[in-house]
Amino acid sequence: MTPRNRFLFIWGAPILMGVLSTFGLLAALLGTGLWHWASWLSLTVLLMVIAKYWWFPAKT
């Protein structure tokens, strides 16, 4: 595994969740109409990921 692939494997999901949350919050604050729907969608995706790992934790 190359260093770039290893970096994305480890940090890809947290970076994506950070970008989604930043986009969702900024869209809610700065936009109207369609931007509000995009905000709801991006923040709902984050809540679904949280709920999945809350109710079905990874088995170790």
Side-chain angles (χ1 to χ4, degrees), residues 17-48:
M17 291 183 64
V19 168
L20 269 176
S21 64
T22 302
F23 170 76
L25 293 173
L26 286 175
L29 286 172
L30 302 175
T32 58
L34 187 61
W35 288 105
H36 283 257
W37 286 101
S39 171
W40 274 96
L41 181 65
S42 64
L43 295 175
T44 301
V45 168
L46 294 172
L47 287 176
M48 288 171 44

Side-chain angles (χ1 to χ4, degrees), residues 52-60:
K52 182 213 180 267
Y53 285 101
W54 180 276
W55 285 317
F56 305 108
K59 296 182 182 178
T60 56

